[in-house]
Amino acid sequence: MNVGKMRHRITFQRPTEEKDFLSGYKDDWFDVCTVWAQISPVSGKEYFSQVRETSVSHKIYCRYRPGITPRLRIKFKDRIFRIISVLNWDERNEGLTIMCEELVQ
């Protein structure tokens, strides 16, 4: 991965549960970290080959960071991405390929 292509600022967020006076609990998201990344939509061919298996719409590449799991989500500007899987490049802790589904808000 060419680090020069990492021109997007993304924020990893984790869910938190906060007490809500009326309904008990409410879901909220807490910022974990902000990093440089490359966001790439999957190609049409890749998309249609995966339609039956997953709903991956984007691949996000960034430098390795421990603790990035599908339990987190990614925020990019006003867009939200659900993490489907996280791949550690050659298990060398150098970079991550994150398979995501963009959520419609």
Side-chain angles (χ1 to χ4, degrees):
M1 171 54 42
N2 184 347
V3 175
K5 291 184 178 184
M6 294 186 189
R7 61 185 186 357
H8 303 103
R9 289 296 273 174
I10 63 169
T11 301
F12 289 99
Q13 297 181 317
R14 69 175 166 85
T16 61
E17 287 187 352
E18 294 182 358
K19 278 268 201 194
D20 185 338
F21 180 71
L22 298 174
S23 62
Y25 288 96
K26 67 175 183 172
D27 290 328
D28 204 2
W29 292 88
F30 174 76
D31 292 352
V32 174
C33 63
T34 300
V35 300
W36 289 103
Q38 176 186 350
I39 301 174
S40 299
V42 295
S43 70
K45 184 177 181 180
E46 285 177 304
Y47 179 79
F48 286 112
S49 71
Q50 296 177 18
V51 164
R52 292 189 180 139
E53 297 175 18
T54 66
S55 52
V56 171
S57 63
H58 290 76
K59 292 180 184 178
I60 297 179
Y61 305 95
C62 67
R63 291 179 189 231
Y64 176 81
R65 185 164 188 99
I68 304 302
T69 69
R71 194 166 187 290
L72 304 178
R73 74 177 187 179
I74 295 171
K75 183 175 182 185
F76 172 62
K77 297 183 181 179
D78 60 345
R79 298 164 66 187
I80 300 294
F81 296 89
R82 179 175 69 91
I83 298 175
I84 295 171
S85 67
V86 180
L87 308 170
N88 183 350
W89 302 346
D90 297 326
E91 299 299 323
R92 297 183 63 164
N93 296 346
E94 292 177 358
L96 299 173
T97 299
I98 304 166
M99 308 301 277
C100 299
E101 171 189 21
E102 183 170 7
L103 302 178
V104 178
Q105 297 182 9

